[in-house]
Amino acid sequence: MSCCPAEAVPSQQGGGPHRLVTGDCLTVLSGLPADSVDVVVTSPPYNIDLRYRAYRDQREEADYLDWMVAICTELRRVMKPDGSFFLNISGSHSRPWLPFELIVRLRPLFALQNHITWVKSIAIGADSTGHYKPVQGQRFLHHAHEHIFHLTRSGHVKLDRLAIGVPFKDKSNIARRGHAQDLHCRGNTWFIPYRTVNSRAQKFHHPGTFPVELPLWCIRLHGTPAPLVLDPFMGTGTTLLAAQREGGRGLGIDIDPSYVAIAAERLAADASPC
Ligand SMILES: C[S@@+](CC[C@H](N)C(=O)[O-])C[C@H]1O[C@@H](n2cnc3c(N)ncnc32)[C@H](O)[C@@H]1O
């Protein structure tokens, strides 16, 4: 289990309509009411020895999988029956099986309603977009994508596809196919590059954030107005920022008080930009 002392005593701070909790998510989740959350968007530690401030991202794989299954069991309990759980996770060159091992372990708990591929960088023909890190050695390709597993309790949750739709390239399709608006489904590959950051401070002193568009698109796709959005591994609060921008309420949990403080600052700055 985590070595962080904050785990023992969860503490809370406000953030406008949001709730930010410092503590171990398994403990905090067990105190939340059942059937209460509209959308979960989260990216857990990937067990790849990433240098977080408090959490040690290196467990025995079996222990990591058991831990994640216990957390996802709680997430299923707190989700509304028509809620959505978007789980962002990735393998690595050293642990390529991990996301697949996990998703198979979650099969008794959830329907895998959609499997979205988050494309972080892409080459089309001779052109490339997004950030390409140098690859060590000769065995592996540049890691350009991550998984977003869309898990639901029933597999029958209605979505608002056009809330993240894209305009038709061929406008004649609109009338010909009887579409009400100039939008079609985006599909299950989402190209969201990282914004270029020029300084360490811009990275919010956190090694593993996702771009705000990722939770924003998940929340819009789920489609509930003013949703309650939960991130049990909140980090710097990107999911809560997206919830705020969509007129929702966020509930964020992180084991590390310094990340919770950064999340509170980001939410406040975003609520009153000047
Ligand atoms: C991949 S990061 C999430 C980053 C976040 N999506 C963002 O954009 O900032 C995973 C987070 O899980 C937190 N964490 C690790 N163990 C935890 C636990 N038991 N309970 C709550 N948070 C935990 C880490 O401190 C880290 O901030």
Side-chain angles (χ1 to χ4, degrees):
M1 299 301 281
S2 165
C3 57
C4 182
E7 185 178 46
V9 192
S11 68
Q12 290 193 36
Q13 64 190 93
H18 315 293
R19 235 178 106 197
L20 283 66
V21 185
T22 304
D24 169 50
C25 60
L26 198 49
T27 311
V28 177
L29 288 171
S30 67
L32 297 181
D35 304 339
S36 57
V37 170
D38 293 295
V39 190
V40 181
V41 187
T42 200
S43 180
Y46 295 173
N47 211 29
I48 51 173
D49 199 17
L50 211 60
R51 297 300 154 109
Y52 297 109
R53 287 199 201 180
Y55 175 73
R56 279 210 54 220
D57 187 28
Q58 200 177 30
R59 293 167 183 251
E60 288 298 320
E61 190 153 309
D63 174 40
Y64 174 84
L65 291 171
D66 288 348
W67 177 63
M68 282 300 299
V69 170
I71 291 167
C72 293
T73 304
E74 276 304 306
L75 290 173
R76 185 187 193 283
R77 186 186 66 78
V78 303
M79 276 165 64
K80 289 183 180 167
D82 61 351
S84 281
F85 171 19
F86 296 90
L87 173 62
N88 165 225
I89 193 160
S90 172
S92 62
H93 295 149
S94 60
R95 293 189 187 270
W97 293 105
L98 185 117
F100 306 106
E101 302 264 11
L102 177 60
I103 203 67
V104 170
R105 289 281 303 271
L106 298 185
R107 194 169 176 169
L109 292 174
F110 294 104
L112 179 55
Q113 195 168 317
N114 287 284
H115 178 194
I116 299 156
T117 300
W118 168 26
V119 178
K120 302 189 289 185
S121 46
I122 193 162
I124 302 174
D127 195 16
S128 65
T129 312
H131 182 63
Y132 281 78
K133 276 198 223 158
V135 187
Q136 303 298 321
Q138 293 195 299
R139 286 189 296 161
F140 300 119
L141 297 173
H142 163 72
H143 207 93
H145 72 93
E146 298 198 7
H147 306 277
I148 305 172
F149 295 113
H150 173 222
L151 302 160
T152 60
R153 283 168 61 164
S154 64
H156 296 282
V157 173
K158 286 192 183 145
L159 302 173
D160 187 356
R161 282 190 295 263
L162 297 190
I164 57 164
V166 285
F168 283 95
K169 199 108 187 168
D170 176 356
K171 303 295 182 199
S172 70
N173 274 324
I174 304 168
R176 192 151 37 87
R177 299 247 165 98
H179 293 286
Q181 43 182 322
D182 180 10
L183 286 174
H184 67 81
C185 175
R186 172 172 297 276
N188 60 5
T189 48
W190 293 2
F191 177 55
I192 311 177
Y194 278 105
R195 225 161 269 124
T196 309
V197 292
N198 298 318
S199 70
R200 276 180 68 80
Q202 280 178 290
K203 283 184 115 179
F204 311 113
H205 305 291
H206 192 290
T209 60
F210 47 41
V212 71
E213 288 81 4
L214 188 152
L216 207 60
W217 290 7
C218 294
I219 294 167
R220 282 187 191 159
L221 179 64
H222 180 73
T224 300
L228 176 58
V229 181
L230 167 66
D231 188 345
F233 296 103
M234 171 180 65
T236 58
T238 314
T239 296
L240 272 68
L241 208 60
Q244 176 164 284
R245 290 184 186 176
E246 287 302 298
R249 285 175 301 134
L251 169 51
I253 309 163
D254 203 284
I255 196 101
D256 187 324
S258 61
Y259 295 152
V260 177
I262 293 168
E265 275 172 34
R266 287 182 81 194
L267 286 165
D270 197 68
S272 54
C274 56

